[in-house]
Amino acid sequence: MSIFEQHESGVRSYSRRWPVVFSRATGSRLYTEDGRRWLDYFAGAGSLNYGHNNPVLKRALLDYVENDGITNALDMFTSARRDLLETLVEVVLRPRSMDHKVVFPGPGGANAVEAALKLARTVTGRSGVVHFTNSFHGATLGALAVTGNPLHRRSAGVPLTGATPMPFDGHDEHPHPEHLARLLAGPGSGLDLPAAVIVETVQAEGGMNVASTEWLRALAELCRQHDILLIVDDVQVGCGRTGPFFSFEDAGIVPDLICLSKSIGGYGLPLALLLVRPDLDVWPPGAHSGTFRGVNPAFVTATEALRTYWRDDTLEKSTRARGEWVGTALQGIVNAHPGAGLSTRGRGLVHGLVVGAELADAVSDEAFAQGLLVETSGPRDEVVKLLPPLTVSDAELAEGLAILEESVRVVLERAA
């Protein structure tokens, strides 16, 4: 592995936690060059909801490439682009009575966030944006400005302005976004009326913090009352990760702008979408642009994923049921170590085991040694984060949870 040490930038991160060379992957498994295998509860940081090299998606991709399908067309019309739009409307938007327009902002989640922030400011003529403690929205400057994580914020190298942090659900004693409500109502609060509020319903990078349906409804109503646009960043926990296609569906809200990326591409190919309420679609042609907003192979796999997994509620029901299984198993680990200060949180197949900053890395390392990939999250990396593919089998789910249970036991015994 000397080539990586000698010639790749030291900014890399995941390879430090898992210092092996992977060469192939199928379903929920990753394999190294020497034939060792790992069960993958990382899933490309949520970009592989349908597993590695999903055979249905792979077939669609191979057929498209073999027939000389267009690779990159920027925002020119193509058959692949049309198929994606038609399928998204038919399978996702229309059944949910949503008439949002679709913006193709670029290849990644930060592109969708940047586009949402720009458009909100354009529409309202206001510049401020409210975000929440422990949030993470991307590594570009605009996205960093609305991110709470101090490590990421420090990397900007310039002052991050135009954003105001507020307490996320459960961060303080208020059951609803009362602090924001008081500031908006108070003429001397010092908070100018913002253009938008941006929120994750589950803060996966922030420590698996889950916003309650009551909190989300109160936030949406507060935005409506003050004519503030509500942006939901569904980049990591959308596309079925919590059960329904959108993570906010259980709250019964419909955001003004919705950021999608990661698993919207289906196969792990780069794709991001910004869904925009029709009356907010005010940009003139070319006002938001980018070369890689037309990666057609990603359109193909995205379309096939929607057709295969979202025409009915089979995957949603499976994810909810498996999420309950994971939650019960993690609570069992907590109960087995009553003096260790453990806790668990999550929804669907995005769950975390809170073990503390001094132990989470050790648990992740022990799990890796036993054949399971899990990363950490939270402001102090105190949470062991579970993101298995939504297509994980029952046997693989049981296997991964057993490895995690044993890893926690080993680490706690060492620390005793």
Side-chain angles (χ1 to χ4, degrees):
M1 295 191 292
S2 62
I3 187 69
F4 304 112
E5 297 292 337
Q6 293 175 14
H7 296 287
E8 187 177 357
S9 168
V11 76
R12 66 190 188 282
S13 61
Y14 296 118
S15 56
R16 297 181 186 278
R17 183 173 298 281
W18 306 313
V20 295
V21 180
F22 295 105
S23 60
R24 68 185 185 91
T26 58
S28 302
R29 305 278 183 182
L30 277 163
Y31 299 83
T32 54
E33 292 175 314
D34 58 3
R36 291 179 292 165
R37 70 177 192 170
W38 275 263
L39 188 55
D40 185 7
Y41 276 24
F42 173 60
S47 64
L48 294 163
N49 281 4
Y50 312 108
H52 295 275
N53 288 302
N54 181 292
V56 177
L57 309 186
K58 179 166 65 174
R59 185 70 263 161
L61 177 61
L62 290 175
D63 288 346
Y64 183 77
V65 173
E66 288 172 352
N67 286 308
D68 294 327
I70 294 168
T71 299
N72 184 20
L74 285 82
D75 66 3
M76 293 183 286
F77 295 148
T78 65
S79 56
R81 192 184 198 95
R82 180 184 58 211
D83 288 347
L84 173 56
L85 287 170
E86 288 178 347
T87 306
L88 183 68
V89 170
E90 176 193 353
V91 175
V92 176
L93 298 182
R94 190 175 294 139
R96 293 163 177 81
S97 300
M98 296 170 61
D99 58 356
H100 289 55
K101 297 278 191 175
V102 182
V103 177
F104 293 87
N111 298 104
V113 169
E114 294 282 356
L117 298 176
K118 284 174 59 177
L119 184 55
R121 286 163 171 151
T122 297
V123 168
T124 64
R126 305 190 292 265
S127 61
V129 175
V130 167
H131 65 106
F132 293 95
T133 49
N134 295 321
S135 57
F136 179 76
H137 295 288
T140 52
L141 289 181
L144 283 175
V146 293
T147 285
N149 185 291
L151 174 64
H152 291 288
R153 290 180 65 87
R154 284 195 298 270
S155 70
V158 297
L160 297 171
T161 60
T164 302
M166 292 289 162
F168 189 74
D169 189 16
H171 188 78
D172 61 14
E173 71 277 11
H174 299 299
H176 298 296
E178 295 174 5
H179 183 57
L180 175 58
R182 287 198 303 271
L183 292 178
L184 290 172
S189 70
L191 177 66
D192 294 329
L193 187 65
V197 169
I198 185 168
V199 66
E200 304 155 279
T201 66
V202 180
Q203 294 181 326
E205 297 298 326
M208 315 304 276
N209 307 307
V210 179
S212 68
T213 56
E214 295 79 11
W215 189 86
L216 288 170
R217 288 171 190 151
L219 180 63
E221 177 60 21
L222 187 63
C223 288
R224 188 195 64 79
Q225 291 173 0
H226 292 273
D227 195 27
I228 301 168
L229 298 181
L230 178 61
I231 304 169
V232 168
D233 179 346
D234 235 10
V235 168
Q236 185 159 123
V237 299
C239 300
R241 177 54 61 179
T242 65
F245 186 83
F246 295 113
S247 70
F248 51 80
E249 289 186 54
D250 286 344
I253 64 172
V254 180
D256 303 300
L257 302 102
I258 304 160
C259 302
L260 293 173
S261 187
K262 291 189 183 286
S263 279
I264 192 61
Y267 199 72
L269 297 176
L271 178 63
L273 305 178
L274 175 63
L275 306 183
V276 178
R277 213 177 66 205
D279 57 301
L280 306 179
D281 186 32
V282 300
W283 269 330
H288 188 79
S289 188
T291 300
F292 291 103
R293 64 192 189 281
V295 182
N296 282 244
F299 297 168
V300 171
T301 53
T303 301
E304 196 61 33
L306 295 176
R307 288 172 174 165
T308 301
Y309 293 103
W310 294 103
R311 288 193 181 277
D312 59 33
D313 60 359
T314 301
L315 184 63
E316 176 181 344
K317 288 180 176 178
S318 169
T319 300
R320 289 186 188 274
R322 287 172 170 166
E324 292 179 5
W325 179 1
V326 171
T328 299
L330 294 184
Q331 188 59 50
I333 296 174
V334 172
N335 296 341
H337 305 280
L342 309 184
S343 62
T344 181
R345 54 177 86 119
R347 281 179 59 205
L349 284 177
V350 50
H351 266 81
L353 183 66
V354 185
V355 300
E358 65 282 358
L359 296 178
D361 282 343
V363 171
S364 177
D365 291 344
E366 180 62 28
F368 175 72
Q370 295 193 30
L372 175 69
L373 300 184
V374 286
E375 65 166 329
T376 60
S377 71
R380 293 174 297 279
D381 282 330
E382 72 276 18
V383 181
V384 178
K385 176 182 177 183
L386 279 66
L387 286 177
L390 306 186
T391 53
V392 64
S393 70
D394 287 352
E396 291 167 336
L397 197 56
E399 177 187 348
L401 292 170
I403 292 174
L404 180 64
E405 181 180 13
E406 176 64 10
S407 299
V408 171
R409 185 193 65 78
V410 168
V411 168
L412 289 177
E413 284 188 357
R414 287 176 187 161

